[in-house]
Amino acid sequence: MATNDPGHKVLRPKVLRCLESRKNIAGSAAGLAGLALTFTGLAGAYWPVVVAGLYGAGALIAPPERPAAPDFPDPARQLDALREDFARLRAYLDRVELPPAAAGRLTELDGLLAALLDPEPAGEALLLDPEGTYALSRIVRHDVPEAVDTYARTRWWARLAPGADPPERHLERQLSLLFDEAGAMVSALREAEAGRQRTHTRYLEERGRGT
């Protein structure tokens, strides 16, 4: 009779892992050696103890299991995915109507983000800067869409409450702060590239003196 008991689905992989483990393989090999001793008559009447003991000894000396390391996306694939998300963000922003001042700040921010995500040369620098990649991902995937969407929703409520702090002022300020953050990333990447160049120059000079 068929069963849908989830316990069977969990138990079976555990049993297979146990059978395929290094300790079981090493113990089984040692146990087979014990059986060989039994067939040759060397183990005598205590052959079950000998076989069990050799199996246990083999399992004890076997190296521990080493689980496979998780296969995380490499930095290049992460940047490719971020570029795709940036293209989707741009398509979304094209459909949103913004006040002139905020639209101007968004255009400036868009130019910086596009430069940072350009495969040449900034993309190569980002491959060596996982923290910078994370910060850029946060701006593209969270900060910009959140700022624009919040403005779009708050603007409707502002019409019902004249005299309140205008939402476009908050949006313009948020985009300015994000522009400053992206600008700081550009400066940090530029300085990192210059530092690598200086380091290579010193290496060549020291190698030349050693020669």
Side-chain angles (χ1 to χ4, degrees):
M1 181 177 63
T3 177
N4 293 325
D5 184 2
H8 288 78
K9 298 179 181 179
V10 175
L11 180 60
R12 187 175 181 183
K14 289 184 177 180
V15 172
L16 290 177
R17 285 198 299 269
C18 180
L19 293 175
E20 296 172 353
S21 67
R22 296 180 180 180
K23 291 186 175 297
N24 182 62
I25 293 174
S28 298
L32 288 175
L35 288 176
L37 292 176
T38 299
F39 293 143
T40 58
L42 296 177
Y46 299 100
W47 68 267
V49 177
V50 173
V51 172
L54 288 175
Y55 176 89
L60 285 175
I61 64 175
E65 293 295 319
R66 182 175 60 85
D71 183 21
F72 294 124
D74 59 36
R77 281 191 292 165
Q78 291 179 356
L79 280 176
D80 288 340
L82 183 55
R83 292 186 183 104
E84 294 175 1
D85 290 343
F86 181 53
R88 284 195 289 270
L89 174 63
R90 279 177 152 179
Y92 160 71
L93 295 174
D94 286 341
R95 301 193 302 269
V96 179
E97 183 179 351
L98 299 178
R105 297 304 290 170
L106 183 60
T107 300
E108 295 173 345
L109 175 60
D110 177 85
L112 266 185
L113 296 178
L116 284 167
L117 287 170
D118 189 340
E120 296 290 343
E124 296 296 330
L126 279 175
L127 291 175
L128 304 175
D129 186 9
E131 293 184 2
T133 301
Y134 170 76
L136 186 58
S137 170
R138 184 178 55 200
I139 292 176
V140 170
R141 291 170 172 158
H142 176 74
D143 294 332
V144 173
E146 175 69 15
V148 174
D149 183 63
T150 301
Y151 162 77
R153 286 184 284 108
T154 308
R155 183 178 57 176
W156 183 84
W157 289 103
R159 294 197 190 102
L160 304 180
D165 198 12
E168 55 267 22
R169 184 179 301 168
H170 286 287
L171 175 61
E172 184 180 353
R173 178 58 178 157
Q174 291 165 6
L175 295 176
S176 296
L177 291 171
L178 292 174
F179 178 83
D180 293 342
E181 184 177 349
M185 291 174 57
V186 171
S187 299
L189 289 174
R190 182 171 57 243
E191 179 58 30
E193 287 296 297
R196 279 190 283 271
Q197 187 180 34
R198 290 192 296 267
T199 298
H200 190 58
T201 300
R202 287 195 297 270
Y203 162 73
L204 293 176
E205 290 172 346
E206 291 174 0
R207 189 175 71 181
R209 287 195 294 269
T211 303

